[in-house]
Amino acid sequence: MAAAEPARPRRASSRAAGEGDQQDRHQPRRSASRRRSGVPGAAKAMRAAAEQLAELLGRFPDSVSSLKPTEEGWEAQVEVVELARIPDTTSVMASYRVALDEEGELISYERTRRYSRGTIDRPT
């Protein structure tokens, strides 16, 4: 049997060891103004848009097809099944534009498109 490897000593945190400045250079930075102003991250904003729209419509979103930051917070495109049909490719879908404020609260929504699930967008 092989001898067990000795346990590796734990490194002191970079701040305590005085290495914070060197390590911080290698990590991606988020905008300080966004972090301080309480704007939620993209994943949290995406969940907030889907959950709040579901509460208003009474239907659960199928997906969030786009998400982008704005000066006021976030804007998302959320896809919702408006009328379920068999087969699924004939279900009626809707695309909603959802605006969230800086705290991730829904401030407006608008249905921008209705289509069959099986429809493929074609260039115009």
Side-chain angles (χ1 to χ4, degrees), residues 85-106:
R85 291 188 175 159
I86 297 174
D88 282 346
T89 55
T90 62
S91 292
V92 177
M93 304 290 293
S95 184
Y96 286 85
R97 180 182 307 126
V98 177
L100 303 173
D101 67 11
E102 291 182 349
E103 283 78 40
E105 294 296 317
L106 189 141

Side-chain angles (χ1 to χ4, degrees), residues 63-85:
S63 65
V64 177
S65 57
S66 74
L67 179 73
K68 64 181 178 182
T70 64
E71 289 187 19
E72 295 81 29
W74 293 93
E75 184 176 287
Q77 284 292 127
V78 182
E79 309 305 316
V80 177
V81 177
E82 292 217 326
L83 181 60
R85 291 188 175 159

Side-chain angles (χ1 to χ4, degrees), residues 2-113:
E5 280 189 41
R8 293 183 180 175
R10 295 184 92 187
R11 289 179 40 181
S13 75
S14 61
R15 303 260 183 234
E19 301 171 4
D21 294 337
Q22 286 181 351
Q23 282 189 344
D24 286 348
R25 283 187 217 142
H26 301 291
Q27 295 180 5
R29 291 182 184 236
R30 284 192 273 165
S31 167
S33 62
R34 272 197 182 270
R35 220 179 9 234
R36 276 187 253 128
S37 67
V39 174
K44 192 178 277 188
M46 187 180 287
R47 281 190 301 273
E51 289 170 2
Q52 292 176 67
L53 187 62
E55 188 176 331
L56 290 170
L57 297 177
R59 297 181 198 99
F60 290 101
D62 196 57
S63 65
V64 177
S65 57
S66 74
L67 179 73
K68 64 181 178 182
T70 64
E71 289 187 19
E72 295 81 29
W74 293 93
E75 184 176 287
Q77 284 292 127
V78 182
E79 309 305 316
V80 177
V81 177
E82 292 217 326
L83 181 60
R85 291 188 175 159
I86 297 174
D88 282 346
T89 55
T90 62
S91 292
V92 177
M93 304 290 293
S95 184
Y96 286 85
R97 180 182 307 126
V98 177
L100 303 173
D101 67 11
E102 291 182 349
E103 283 78 40
E105 294 296 317
L106 189 141
I107 54 176
S108 70
Y109 73 96
E110 172 186 16
R111 184 172 65 198
T112 58
R113 178 175 173 235

